Amino acid sequence: MQGLSVLGATGSIGMSTLDIVRRHPQKFRVISLSANQRVEQMHALCLEFKPQTVVMVDASAAEQLKLMLMQSGDHQIQVQQGEQSLLDLVKAPDVDIVMAAIVGASGLLPTLEAVKADKKVLLANKEALVTSGQIFIDALHASKATLLPIDSEHNAIFQCLPKGMQDSVGHGAITDYGISKILLTGSGGPFRTLPLEQFDTITPEQACAHPNWDMGQKISVDSATMMNKGLEFIEAKWLFNLSADDIQVVLHPQSTIHSMVQYKDGSVLAQMGNPDMRTPIAHAMAYPERIDAGVQAFDFFNCQSFQFAQADFERYPNLKLAIDACRAGQGACTALNAANEIAVAAFLAKQIKFTDIAKINAEVMQSFLTTDVRSIEDVLRLDQEARKQASSQVDWLKENS
Ligand code: NAD
Ligand code: MG
């Protein structure tokens, strides 16, 4: 029986994780849950999974949850509040596995804390790795933690790697294993064929309606701009110790192949299946075992034909920015991620246009292109500065459009 802590329990990944627990109560026990604000959903999770501790980052949400638990007669569950409490949550001795599924750079410190506490860390929160890169990987090296990728592409790549590479996440050398390329697939999102002149009028509702995956709002918008693929490009660099030249983005609209590894003898290994995040989550939770994830087997006789294409940077300028950031260095990556979080939130709030996201991202990234980042304090400082710059650009656009 493994003890589990779920960061971001009320989100799309959090809920899929808890569905795996539901299917395997003899294997996993929920020790703690955390979320930001969604009290009613968390209350329902408390009643079902009976965690020892819950953190609601938002203070009033925590107070509300305490009240609701008292009313439902649950006096055992400890409710805490604030970001600091997340750090204690992941360190608890009963916790073996930490699902890092907070969205955005807010997930960085608790995820890093789980690594430092030698836990088995399941990384969904790609922004944590994008913003801190080498610092995160160094912390992983210095610890006895295991890091397993949840992002479907990185989980697919992991599954297609030889055991030696799987055992050395963050530092294995692909050339030692005859690997010539990592092929990172992406669907192209909902606007793959939309005429470019209509991009200015894209609404948040349209951007969040992904053709293949059901996800949180932020990552849905990132998928529509393909910033998600860009963040994944940077994530892949760090997870598999790659250079930008080792990674090729491949558009694959059906999202059946979740990514591939190409070997120098010409072999290409792909991981496939229906697009359901419970597959990579179950894979990582049980690794190296295999368990039922509740996902239907792929039906080869009733499927669309597979298509592949190159990504067009005119359609997806954010993908280009992220690849440029990956080549430029940590300052650019941290700034780009921060700017993007602000820009996407402003787009979701209908304050700016879909096409403004890339404009804000480009401007902010440019300001920090050569900024040196050596410590987590540097990361946090730069993240804040980039957010400030992006917010003032949002204000300017609100007033001038
Ligand atoms: P979501 O928006 O559905 O859920 C986010 C969770 O984080 C919620 O539980 C929320 O309460 C919590 N949260 C938000 N802000 C917080 C804060 N400041 N402090 C603490 N908790 C906070 O997001 P999601 O789609 O589940 O994505 C979570 C992460 O997983 C993201 O980094 C995303 O890129 C990654 N990911 C998601 C998918 C997917 O299919 N949804 C796939 C691959 C990777
Ligand atoms: Mg992904």
Side-chain angles (χ1 to χ4, degrees):
M1 182 72 102
Q2 305 230 65
L4 176 70
S5 176
V6 184
L7 300 175
T10 57
S12 160
I13 294 289
M15 295 298 279
S16 293
T17 304
L18 291 168
D19 189 59
I20 301 296
V21 175
R22 199 175 278 132
R23 288 164 194 279
H24 299 279
Q26 73 293 358
K27 276 192 180 305
F28 307 106
R29 186 161 59 102
V30 174
I31 305 292
S32 54
L33 298 173
S34 88
N36 192 21
Q37 285 181 322
R38 285 181 224 158
V39 180
E40 274 165 23
Q41 203 182 334
M42 183 58 95
H43 182 242
L45 293 178
C46 286
L47 298 187
E48 181 179 358
F49 292 99
K50 307 266 183 246
Q52 293 167 10
T53 316
V54 172
V55 173
M56 297 303 291
V57 173
D58 183 88
S60 67
E63 289 310 316
Q64 235 180 306
L65 181 64
K66 274 184 206 165
L67 206 66
M68 287 172 85
L69 286 170
M70 261 173 28
Q71 283 165 356
S72 55
D74 275 270
H75 304 289
Q76 308 293 329
I77 303 175
Q78 269 203 38
V79 180
Q80 296 166 358
Q81 66 187 54
E83 284 175 12
Q84 190 62 34
S85 306
L86 293 176
L87 307 185
D88 300 329
L89 203 70
V90 298
K91 280 191 291 210
D94 288 0
V95 170
D96 304 296
I97 306 177
V98 175
M99 168 54 82
I102 291 175
V103 59
S106 307
L108 171 58
L109 294 181
T111 306
L112 203 55
E113 198 67 21
V115 166
K116 288 180 183 163
D118 301 330
K119 305 297 183 186
K120 175 172 170 177
V121 181
L122 313 186
L123 185 73
N125 180 211
K126 67 193 87 188
E127 296 93 339
L129 193 51
V130 168
T131 49
S132 65
Q134 190 67 57
I135 299 162
F136 191 104
I137 295 298
D138 287 348
L140 177 66
H141 271 177
S143 75
K144 294 194 189 74
T146 312
L147 186 69
L148 292 168
I150 292 299
D151 220 333
S152 57
E153 296 75 4
H154 306 73
N155 184 272
I157 293 163
F158 181 91
Q159 293 196 44
C160 297
L161 289 174
K163 180 81 168 61
M165 275 293 285
Q166 291 187 343
D167 289 343
S168 51
V169 164
H171 61 99
I174 53 166
T175 45
D176 290 349
Y177 296 94
I179 294 165
S180 55
K181 210 99 198 153
I182 299 297
L183 306 173
L184 187 66
T185 56
S187 71
F191 310 126
R192 189 174 50 87
T193 56
L194 187 76
L196 289 181
E197 55 279 11
Q198 291 178 28
F199 270 46
D200 268 349
T201 61
I202 289 170
T203 64
E205 292 72 25
Q206 290 168 326
C208 288
H210 195 279
N212 307 338
W213 297 95
D214 182 13
M215 307 178 287
Q217 284 197 316
K218 192 257 177 186
I219 184 175
S220 295
V221 176
D222 284 351
S223 299
T225 63
M226 278 195 92
M227 173 56 88
N228 184 49
K229 209 51 51 190
L231 297 176
E232 289 180 357
F233 192 99
I234 302 167
E235 182 186 14
K237 169 197 158 81
W238 292 113
L239 282 175
F240 307 116
N241 189 23
L242 307 169
S243 74
D245 291 334
D246 298 325
I247 313 167
Q248 170 76 60
V249 173
V250 179
L251 281 197
H252 166 50
Q254 291 75 25
S255 299
T256 300
I257 292 176
H258 301 135
S259 277
M260 302 177 266
V261 176
Q262 181 183 304
Y263 288 81
K264 62 182 180 191
D265 60 7
S267 300
V268 179
L269 301 194
Q271 188 266 356
M272 302 169 47
N274 286 316
D276 186 324
M277 286 307 293
R278 290 177 302 174
T279 295
I281 292 169
H283 169 265
M285 282 175 77
Y287 181 81
E289 272 182 58
R290 295 275 180 174
I291 57 172
D292 179 16
V295 179
Q296 291 244 312
F298 185 75
D299 182 352
F300 283 92
F301 305 117
N302 288 299
C303 67
Q304 298 165 280
S305 59
F306 293 4
Q307 292 170 301
F308 302 97
Q310 278 202 326
D312 163 10
F313 289 149
E314 205 190 335
R315 181 171 292 274
Y316 303 114
N318 282 290
L319 173 61
K320 167 90 166 61
L321 284 176
I323 295 173
D324 289 348
C326 186
R327 292 186 195 277
Q330 192 56 59
C333 294
T334 308
L336 177 63
N337 178 71
N340 185 60
E341 287 190 31
I342 297 293
V344 170
F347 168 69
L348 285 168
K350 303 196 172 178
Q351 296 172 336
I352 60 168
K353 290 188 289 202
F354 185 78
T355 44
D356 289 333
I357 299 172
K359 289 180 194 155
I360 294 174
N361 288 347
E363 283 275 330
V364 176
M365 180 180 134
Q366 195 59 35
S367 313
F368 299 97
L369 217 48
T370 55
T371 307
D372 207 14
V373 179
R374 287 161 191 259
S375 64
I376 217 64
E377 291 71 30
D378 290 348
V379 170
L380 299 176
R381 200 176 314 116
L382 173 48
D383 176 79
Q384 285 307 313
E385 282 176 34
R387 277 168 204 269
K388 247 187 246 160
Q389 256 197 41
S391 298
S392 54
Q393 293 215 21
V394 169
D395 291 341
W396 189 88
L397 284 165
K398 278 197 300 196
E399 282 159 25
N400 293 279
S401 59

